[in-house]
Amino acid sequence: MKTVKIGLLGLGNIGTGTYKTLEMNRDEIESSLGVKLEIVKILERDTERDRGITVPMEKFTSDPDSIFTDPDIDIVIELLGGIEPATSFMLKAMENGKHVVTANKAAIAANYQALMDTAAANGVLLRFEASVGGGIPILTSLTGPLKANKFEEVMGILNGTTNYILTMMTQEGLDYETALRDAQAQGFAEADPTADVEGIDAANKLSILMALMFDKYVAPGDIPTIGITKVTKDEIEKARQDNCRIKLIAHAKKLDNGDVEYAVKPMYIDENHPLAGINREFNAVFVKGNAVDELMFYGKGAGPLPTGSAVMGDVMDIVRTALK
Amino acid sequence: MKTVKIGLLGLGNIGTGTYKTLEMNRDEIESSLGVKLEIVKILERDTERDRGITVPMEKFTSDPDSIFTDPDIDIVIELLGGIEPATSFMLKAMENGKHVVTANKAAIAANYQALMDTAAANGVLLRFEASVGGGIPILTSLTGPLKANKFEEVMGILNGTTNYILTMMTQEGLDYETALRDAQAQGFAEADPTADVEGIDAANKLSILMALMFDKYVAPGDIPTIGITKVTKDEIEKARQDNCRIKLIAHAKKLDNGDVEYAVKPMYIDENHPLAGINREFNAVFVKGNAVDELMFYGKGAGPLPTGSAVMGDVMDIVRTALK
C-alpha cells in the first residue's frame, strides 16, 4: 500500500486529539482508504509534556520550513491556532504543493480569500471542517449533499463556553460572574475568556458559514457582535416568562432583495424551536435551504477527539479526492 | 459547457420534487459544477397529470430500455419506489455504464449487496442519500466527514408518519386510531399505513444505516420490528410520569464483543435526550462515534423538495467525482 505522509503543525490539545484519533482508528481508516497514513514530522517545541501518546523523538522539529520543503510530505495539518504565524504557514505549505487541513477559524475567517486563492493557484486542496462546530460535519454538508439548495438562513450556537454559561444561568439561576467561574472550573472557559464571551469566536465561525452558504465574505470585525457579558438573571427570567430561552446566536439571513443581514448577539429563542433545547457545552447549527427546508446539526463543538474526528475526516477526503 | 444527461425513472411526487429542485436552482447548480444538467428522458405513463411543472412531451417514454441503452445518458435517477421493478432497472442501468441515484430504501435494503457489487463491477457510482432521513445528509456524513470514527450506536426517528401519530397522542391526548386518522387527513399517512405504522419503513432504513456504519448487512426482515399500533394512551401517560417520551426508534449498537444488537421498536426516551424533542413529521438521527462522541441530525425526512434536495445533491456528487 502507498503511504501518504503528513506534517503536523502543533501538538497541543487539538494536535494530540488528532494524533489519538488516527492511532485509535488507524486500521479502519487505512483499510477504507487503501493507503497508509504516517505523521512524519511535528512542529512543536514542547517535546517533554505527557500527552498520553507515544511520539518518537525524531518526529519533532522546531523548523517549519523543514516541513514545507520536504518533498515527501503530501498533507500539512495546521493546528497552531491564532491568525499568525498559522496563515503564513498555510500559504507557504500550499505554495510548496502541499494540501492543507486546519481547525483554525481565526485564520480562515481573517484571510479567507487569500487562502482559497492560494489553494486554487497551486492546485491543492484546503479543508477546514473542524473550524466551525468542531466534530459536527456542517461545512461538508453545506458544500456537498446540500449544495443543490439556495440557502436562506443560518442560526448557530457555535460557542460552547457561552452556551454553557447561559445554560447555568437558566437552569441553576446563577448570575453571569458565577456561571463564568463555574465554566472555568469545569474546563469550558479559558482563564481569559474574552474571545468567547464577547462573541469574537462565534463571529469568526459566522464569517466562514456566510462565505460558504451565500458566497459572501464578511470580515469577522465587520460583523455586528454583542457577547453575553451584559446578560442578566432578570433578562433570563423575563425570557422564560415569554416561553423563550436566551442563546448567543450567530445569525445570517438572505433578504428578498438579495442582501444578507448578519449579526452575533444574544437572542430570544422560542422554547419550541429546536435550538432552544441545545444546552451546556454543545453546539448546534440550524439552516434553511429553499429545497431541503429546515435542518439542524447538533454535537460537540470543541474538544480534542471531536475536533480530531473532523480533521481526520478532512485528511481522508483529501486522500480520496487527490492522492489515490 | 459540457452537458450531463440524465434519465429519470418515475415522475410521481418525489420525481416531481427532484425536477422542481433542479429547475428552481439550476443556475447555481450548473455554475457550481461547471457543467449543464439535462433530464433528457422520463419513464412515466401519466403524461397528463398537472404537476405544476412544464415537461416537454417528447421527454416522456414508456420504454425503460430506451433509457438504459441510450449512449448519451450519464446518470439514471430511480424514483419509482418499491423493490421491483426498481432493483432490476438499477442493475440494468449500471450494467450499461450509467451512474445511479435513488431514494428507494426498500430496494436498497432488500438488495444491498447485489446493487453495490454491480456498481463496483461496472465502475459506476451508486448514491442513495435520500433513502434515509429524506433531506438530512446523514449517509454522506457517515461515509465522508465522520469516516475517521468507529461507530458505536445509532438511534433514529426515521419515519415521519409514526412520529406524527405519537406526537399527537402525547401532545393532544389522542388515542392511536384518532391520531392515525388525523395523520391521514394531514397527508402524513397513506390510506394503507401498514409499512409505516408496523415499522417496516424504519427497518429498511436501519438496514442501510447498519451496512454503512458497521459494515454489517442485515436484511430488513431479519431486524426485530415492533410498530406503534399497540401503543396506548395509558403507556404514553406512564412514560410522561417517568419524564420520558415514547418514540419509534430504529436502534443499533455495537457490543463490547464486536456483535451488533439491533431492533425497531417503541422506546422510552428521557425528556432531556435530544431525540425527545423531535416532534410531528420531523426525522432525526442520533449517532455516537468513538472520536466525535454524540451527534444528532434533524430535518424533514420526506416530502418532494427535501427529498429532491438529497437526490440532486447525489447527482452533483457524481458529476464532481466522475463526470468532469
Side-chain angles (χ1 to χ4, degrees):
Chain A
M1 276 206 295
K2 175 180 167 180
T3 297
V4 167
K5 296 193 174 171
I6 298 168
L8 176 59
L9 311 182
L11 198 62
N13 287 335
I14 303 303
T16 303
T18 298
Y19 197 98
K20 283 183 181 168
T21 299
L22 174 57
E23 290 309 314
M24 72 188 186
N25 298 334
R26 175 179 291 280
D27 290 351
E28 291 79 5
I29 289 170
E30 291 182 342
S31 87
S32 161
L33 293 174
V35 305
K36 290 189 172 298
L37 298 180
E38 189 185 353
I39 295 175
V40 293
K41 286 187 187 157
I42 302 173
L43 179 72
E44 175 64 53
R45 278 172 208 280
D46 182 354
T47 59
E48 300 298 321
R49 185 179 145 203
D50 180 7
R51 299 175 169 90
I53 54 178
T54 307
V55 183
M57 280 301 287
E58 67 270 20
K59 288 189 193 286
F60 285 105
T61 177
S62 56
D63 174 16
D65 285 325
S66 77
I67 294 177
F68 309 140
T69 62
D70 184 336
D72 288 343
I73 289 181
D74 304 292
I75 300 174
V76 170
I77 302 177
E78 185 283 305
L79 300 173
L80 299 166
I83 297 174
E84 284 297 349
T87 301
S88 300
F89 285 177
M90 287 193 274
L91 292 171
K92 211 176 255 187
M94 291 191 286
E95 284 157 4
N96 281 279
K98 316 303 184 199
H99 305 285
V100 168
V101 176
T102 182
N104 189 329
K105 55 258 179 185
I108 293 285
N111 297 295
Y112 182 79
Q113 206 55 57
L115 288 162
M116 298 298 272
D117 289 349
T118 302
N122 291 281
V124 296
L125 300 170
L126 169 65
R127 291 282 186 272
F128 43 92
E129 176 61 76
S131 67
V132 179
I136 303 170
I138 179 67
L139 302 187
T140 309
S141 293
L142 293 170
T143 56
L146 299 175
K147 188 68 178 170
N149 286 268
K150 285 182 198 140
F151 293 109
E152 297 173 345
E153 188 171 15
V154 58
M155 298 174 74
I157 295 175
L158 296 175
N159 180 271
T161 305
T162 47
N163 202 46
Y164 183 87
I165 291 170
L166 291 173
T167 299
M168 289 300 115
M169 292 177 72
T170 303
Q171 293 184 349
E172 309 293 331
L174 305 184
D175 61 24
Y176 170 75
E177 290 297 340
T178 310
L180 170 60
R181 282 194 301 273
D182 179 50
Q184 287 169 324
Q186 301 287 325
F188 295 133
E190 295 178 51
D192 176 0
T194 309
D196 293 318
V197 299
E198 297 293 1
I200 299 164
D201 176 73
N204 282 330
K205 293 164 178 170
L206 183 61
S207 170
I208 296 169
L209 285 170
M210 282 199 289
L212 297 181
M213 294 175 72
F214 303 119
D215 196 20
K216 180 184 178 69
Y217 172 71
V218 180
D222 293 335
I223 296 173
T225 300
I226 301 171
I228 66 163
T229 58
K230 303 283 191 295
V231 176
T232 65
K233 279 168 66 175
D234 284 353
E235 285 168 316
I236 299 256
E237 184 52 34
K238 168 79 168 61
R240 193 205 300 272
Q241 286 165 8
D242 292 349
N243 299 315
C244 289
R245 304 285 175 271
I246 293 181
K247 296 287 183 190
L248 182 68
I249 300 292
H251 182 225
K253 184 175 183 175
K254 192 132 194 177
L255 304 177
D256 290 340
N257 67 5
D259 288 352
V260 179
E261 66 173 19
Y262 47 86
V264 173
K265 61 186 177 187
M267 286 175 70
Y268 273 41
I269 302 293
D270 187 281
E271 67 183 8
N272 291 315
H273 191 283
L275 287 172
I278 309 304
N279 290 317
R280 295 180 54 91
E281 76 276 22
F282 282 91
N283 283 21
V285 189
F286 177 88
V287 296
K288 272 188 86 165
N290 73 335
V292 76
D293 205 341
E294 297 182 3
L295 285 175
M296 191 179 76
F297 301 76
Y298 158 96
K300 294 212 163 162
L305 291 178
T307 310
S309 162
V311 170
M312 285 309 305
D314 277 347
V315 168
M316 294 181 75
D317 179 57
I318 288 173
V319 172
R320 276 191 295 262
T321 307
L323 295 174
K324 289 190 70 167
Chain B
M1 279 207 293
K2 177 181 167 180
T3 297
V4 167
K5 295 191 174 173
I6 298 168
L8 176 60
L9 311 182
L11 197 62
N13 287 335
I14 303 302
T16 303
T18 299
Y19 197 98
K20 282 182 182 169
T21 299
L22 175 57
E23 290 308 315
M24 72 189 186
N25 298 334
R26 175 180 289 282
D27 291 350
E28 291 79 5
I29 290 170
E30 292 183 343
S31 85
S32 161
L33 293 173
V35 305
K36 290 188 172 299
L37 299 179
E38 190 184 353
I39 296 176
V40 293
K41 285 186 189 159
I42 302 173
L43 179 71
E44 174 64 52
R45 280 172 206 279
D46 182 354
T47 59
E48 300 298 320
R49 186 181 144 202
D50 179 7
R51 299 172 169 93
I53 53 177
T54 307
V55 182
M57 280 301 286
E58 66 268 21
K59 290 189 193 285
F60 285 105
T61 177
S62 56
D63 173 17
D65 285 324
S66 76
I67 293 176
F68 308 140
T69 61
D70 183 337
D72 288 342
I73 288 180
D74 305 291
I75 301 174
V76 170
I77 302 176
E78 184 283 304
L79 300 173
L80 297 167
I83 296 174
E84 285 296 351
T87 300
S88 300
F89 285 177
M90 288 192 274
L91 293 171
K92 211 176 254 188
M94 292 191 285
E95 285 157 4
N96 280 279
K98 316 301 184 198
H99 305 285
V100 168
V101 176
T102 182
N104 190 330
K105 54 259 178 184
I108 293 284
N111 297 296
Y112 183 79
Q113 206 55 56
L115 288 162
M116 297 298 271
D117 290 349
T118 302
N122 291 280
V124 296
L125 300 171
L126 169 64
R127 291 282 184 272
F128 42 93
E129 175 61 76
S131 68
V132 179
I136 301 170
I138 179 66
L139 303 187
T140 309
S141 293
L142 293 169
T143 56
L146 299 175
K147 187 69 178 169
N149 286 269
K150 286 181 196 140
F151 294 108
E152 298 173 344
E153 187 171 16
V154 59
M155 298 174 74
I157 296 175
L158 296 174
N159 181 272
T161 304
T162 47
N163 202 47
Y164 183 88
I165 291 170
L166 291 173
T167 300
M168 289 299 115
M169 292 176 73
T170 303
Q171 295 184 348
E172 309 292 331
L174 305 184
D175 61 24
Y176 170 76
E177 289 297 339
T178 310
L180 170 60
R181 282 195 301 274
D182 179 47
Q184 287 169 323
Q186 302 287 326
F188 295 132
E190 294 177 52
D192 176 1
T194 309
D196 293 318
V197 298
E198 297 292 0
I200 299 163
D201 175 73
N204 281 330
K205 293 165 178 171
L206 183 61
S207 171
I208 296 170
L209 284 171
M210 283 199 288
L212 297 181
M213 294 176 71
F214 304 118
D215 196 21
K216 179 183 177 71
Y217 172 71
V218 180
D222 293 334
I223 296 174
T225 300
I226 301 172
I228 64 162
T229 58
K230 303 284 192 294
V231 176
T232 65
K233 277 167 69 175
D234 283 353
E235 285 168 315
I236 299 257
E237 184 52 33
K238 169 80 169 59
R240 192 205 300 274
Q241 286 165 11
D242 292 348
N243 300 315
C244 289
R245 304 283 176 273
I246 294 182
K247 295 286 183 190
L248 182 67
I249 301 291
H251 183 225
K253 184 176 185 172
K254 192 133 194 174
L255 303 177
D256 289 341
N257 67 5
D259 288 352
V260 179
E261 67 172 19
Y262 46 86
V264 172
K265 61 185 177 187
M267 288 176 68
Y268 273 41
I269 302 294
D270 187 281
E271 65 184 9
N272 292 315
H273 192 283
L275 287 172
I278 309 304
N279 291 316
R280 296 180 54 93
E281 76 275 22
F282 282 92
N283 282 23
V285 189
F286 177 89
V287 297
K288 272 188 87 165
N290 72 335
V292 76
D293 204 340
E294 297 183 1
L295 284 175
M296 191 179 75
F297 301 76
Y298 159 95
K300 293 212 164 163
L305 290 179
T307 309
S309 163
V311 170
M312 285 309 306
D314 277 348
V315 168
M316 292 181 77
D317 179 57
I318 287 174
V319 172
R320 274 189 233 102
T321 307
L323 294 174
K324 287 189 71 167

